[in-house]
Amino acid sequence: MASSFVSMFVVFIVGILVGSSNAQLSTNFYCETCPQLFPTVRAVVEEAIAQEARMGASLLRLHFHDCFINGCDASNLLDDTPTMLGEKTAAPNLNSVRGFEVIDQIKSAVEQVCPGVVSCADILAIAAKDSVNILRGPEWEVKLGRRDAMTASFAAANSSNGIPPPSSNLSALISNFQSKGLSARDLVALYGAHTIGQARCKSFRPHIYNDTNIDPSYARANQAICPSNSGNGDGNLAPLDPQTPTTFDNTYYRSLVSKQSLLHSDQELYNGGSTDMLVQTYVSNPGAFSSDFITGMLNMGDIMPLTGSQGQIRTNCRRIN
């Protein structure tokens, strides 16, 4: 009985601490200290996407890959040092996450209008939001007030509970998201981010050659891009959404229903399991997808943020001050 009480008390205290940390995030955090923040970030993101539409997906992915490794703290932006192996070369990030130079440009522009004020972690959140909206997706008010980590973790980025690999089945995906406080609804909605962007042949080769839950003509079309032998064409790219790869919309879910998903993990969301109904909802109701995606992004942005006096405000996102 005493042990049970202690366990409940610990859970209660952890809940208070997490809630307190997240409560410090607010949509008006920089209203007085950096009133030009949003137009400054937006201008750089717009220019980057105008030069390369794929960059919008890359900036969104940077935020996702940051939050899923030890929380939303910009640890994935840190370069390696003689005493620290960062996250950029971890398996889920190597040759996958990109756009670091755009974040550098945003940080430089923000430092000119309000030096030493805005964290790199918050810049990632704003850039992700702007990328979605610029590519015709929904708009929302992003919560801010995060601070930056002073270290990164190669081991955490490589862990089985880090970024879900493209080979994941549905139960593994749900478990991974639940471990970060995200629901199955958050999972399905956030994976809708794959309505933009591309994937490397190495990531989708097993699905197009080995799986049976894939449209044969779609598989053959991608086999022309991705040879069957490992190592040959690993870096070749194909769109995650074959219909509208540079527009943020709900066609990704239509592709799932048609068994035209590029990744095994994506098709798991519509494969006779518990998330099938959600996928069908997003197919028939794009407004429901937009609403749930916004909720999912806000929930993801609440994963273990550093706030208050924790961490620091980096002046260069690639290194600690």
Side-chain angles (χ1 to χ4, degrees), residues 91-201:
N93 293 332
L94 186 63
N95 297 318
S96 174
V97 293
R98 57 196 292 274
F100 298 107
E101 70 286 350
V102 177
I103 299 299
D104 292 339
Q105 293 167 16
I106 296 172
K107 181 62 174 175
S108 177
V110 170
E111 285 294 304
Q112 290 182 26
V113 296
C114 43
V117 173
V118 181
S119 70
C120 299
D122 280 345
I123 284 174
L124 283 175
I126 300 169
K129 181 262 299 182
D130 283 346
S131 294
V132 170
N133 185 240
I134 291 167
L135 294 175
R136 303 183 188 177
E139 173 71 279
W140 66 92
E141 290 189 276
V142 62
K143 293 195 291 183
L144 303 168
R146 303 169 191 82
R147 289 168 64 85
D148 298 323
M150 298 174 67
T151 188
S153 176
F154 178 84
N158 265 330
S159 73
S160 59
N161 196 41
I163 304 299
S167 59
S168 300
N169 61 29
L170 182 60
S171 62
L173 290 171
I174 291 175
S175 176
N176 182 292
F177 272 61
Q178 285 180 340
S179 72
K180 298 168 177 63
L182 301 174
S183 68
R185 183 176 291 271
D186 291 328
L187 161 67
V188 180
L190 287 172
Y191 261 59
H194 286 174
T195 187
I196 54 176
Q198 303 181 64
R200 297 170 68 240
C201 164

Side-chain angles (χ1 to χ4, degrees), residues 11-294:
V11 170
F12 176 72
I13 292 298
V14 169
I16 289 177
L17 292 175
V18 172
S20 175
S21 176
N22 293 350
Q24 295 181 46
L25 302 182
S26 67
T27 57
N28 61 359
F29 189 84
Y30 296 109
C31 279
E32 295 185 2
T33 56
C34 192
Q36 293 301 309
L37 173 61
F38 290 109
T40 301
V41 175
R42 179 90 178 196
V44 179
V45 176
E46 284 180 337
E47 176 62 23
I49 292 177
Q51 293 181 11
E52 182 193 10
R54 181 188 171 205
M55 187 54 67
S58 298
L59 294 175
L60 178 56
R61 183 178 295 168
L62 269 178
H63 183 43
F64 178 90
H65 279 233
D66 175 40
C67 290
F68 265 56
I69 306 300
N70 294 334
C72 308
D73 59 4
S75 60
N76 66 336
L77 302 181
L78 288 170
D79 287 340
D80 295 347
T81 70
T83 59
M84 183 201 74
L85 182 59
E87 299 167 16
K88 291 181 176 179
T89 58
N93 293 332
L94 186 63
N95 297 318
S96 174
V97 293
R98 57 196 292 274
F100 298 107
E101 70 286 350
V102 177
I103 299 299
D104 292 339
Q105 293 167 16
I106 296 172
K107 181 62 174 175
S108 177
V110 170
E111 285 294 304
Q112 290 182 26
V113 296
C114 43
V117 173
V118 181
S119 70
C120 299
D122 280 345
I123 284 174
L124 283 175
I126 300 169
K129 181 262 299 182
D130 283 346
S131 294
V132 170
N133 185 240
I134 291 167
L135 294 175
R136 303 183 188 177
E139 173 71 279
W140 66 92
E141 290 189 276
V142 62
K143 293 195 291 183
L144 303 168
R146 303 169 191 82
R147 289 168 64 85
D148 298 323
M150 298 174 67
T151 188
S153 176
F154 178 84
N158 265 330
S159 73
S160 59
N161 196 41
I163 304 299
S167 59
S168 300
N169 61 29
L170 182 60
S171 62
L173 290 171
I174 291 175
S175 176
N176 182 292
F177 272 61
Q178 285 180 340
S179 72
K180 298 168 177 63
L182 301 174
S183 68
R185 183 176 291 271
D186 291 328
L187 161 67
V188 180
L190 287 172
Y191 261 59
H194 286 174
T195 187
I196 54 176
Q198 303 181 64
R200 297 170 68 240
C201 164
K202 185 177 181 180
S203 299
F204 61 83
R205 179 184 286 119
H207 182 50
I208 63 173
Y209 284 102
N210 303 330
D211 288 348
T212 58
N213 59 341
I214 185 170
D215 175 71
S217 62
Y218 177 71
R220 285 192 298 270
N222 284 288
Q223 287 168 4
I225 300 170
C226 182
S228 60
N229 49 320
S230 180
N232 189 4
D234 280 1
N236 294 350
L237 299 172
L240 289 160
D241 176 352
Q243 304 301 319
T244 55
T246 58
T247 300
F248 196 97
D249 55 24
N250 69 329
T251 57
Y252 163 81
Y253 297 103
R254 297 177 193 170
S255 298
L256 296 185
V257 173
S258 301
K259 297 189 182 302
Q260 294 185 348
S261 170
L262 190 63
L263 302 179
H264 173 88
S265 53
D266 285 19
Q267 194 59 59
E268 282 288 296
L269 301 181
Y270 192 82
N271 195 35
S274 60
T275 55
D276 281 13
M277 287 299 295
L278 263 178
V279 171
Q280 291 174 344
T281 296
Y282 296 156
V283 168
S284 60
N285 190 342
F289 163 51
S290 292
S291 177
D292 286 353
F293 181 80
I294 290 171

